[in-house]
Amino acid sequence: MTRDRQHTSTRRDFTIIALAGISALAAGAADAAEPISPEEALKALDPWADAIVTGDPAVVEKVLAPEFQILRSDGSGHDKTSYLKLLPKQRVRSQYSDIIATGTDNVMVVRYNIDTDQTIEGKEVKGISPRLSVFRRDGDRWLISAHANFAPLK
C-alpha cells in the first residue's frame, strides 16, 4: 500500500470511529437532538479556546470532562491525563467559523473550522482546518468530552 493510500485509510478510519462514537453518545441522550445556534455553541467553544491559549494545564483541566479524548489527523490520540502533559503551544487564540451544532439540554456536538497557529507535539499547525467537538453540560458550564482535530500535522 502506498503512503498516500495509507494516510487516506488512516484518516478515513479515524473519521468513521469518531463519528460512530459521537453518534453513540448522541443516541444515548434522552431528548431528540435540536439545532443549536452558533452563538450558543460559542458558550462551549470559547471557554475551551480561552483555556488552551493559556498553555496552563490547571486552566485547561477545568474545561475537560473526566472522559475526555482527542483524536488527531495522524491517528494519534490522548486521554485527559496524557493530553494535559502535551498541550499544544498556541501563538494566537484560535478563531472559529462555519459553526454547525446540534444537541440536547446536556450534550452538544459542534463541527466547525478553526483558524489557528500552534505547535502540536513539535509539529506546526497553521491555517484553517476542520474540527469536531463533543461537549456535555456540567451544571451551568460545558465540558469537552471528545475532540477530533483534522489539521494536518507537518
Side-chain angles (χ1 to χ4, degrees), residues 29-104:
D31 302 323
E34 298 282 333
I36 296 173
S37 73
E39 295 77 22
E40 283 298 310
L42 285 171
K43 291 179 181 176
L45 287 169
D46 280 340
W48 162 245
D50 293 341
I52 292 296
V53 77
T54 70
D56 183 344
V59 173
V60 175
E61 184 174 24
K62 293 177 184 176
V63 299
L64 300 181
E67 68 275 10
F68 175 81
Q69 289 192 47
I70 185 169
L71 183 62
R72 301 205 185 281
S73 63
D74 64 357
S76 66
H78 295 284
D79 63 9
K80 180 179 179 177
T81 301
S82 64
Y83 179 73
L84 289 169
K85 293 176 184 173
L86 295 167
L87 290 175
K89 307 292 186 237
Q90 301 247 346
R91 287 177 273 291
V92 296
R93 186 193 183 278
S94 299
Q95 299 297 311
Y96 303 110
S97 62
D98 305 318
I99 298 169
I100 305 293
T102 56
T104 65

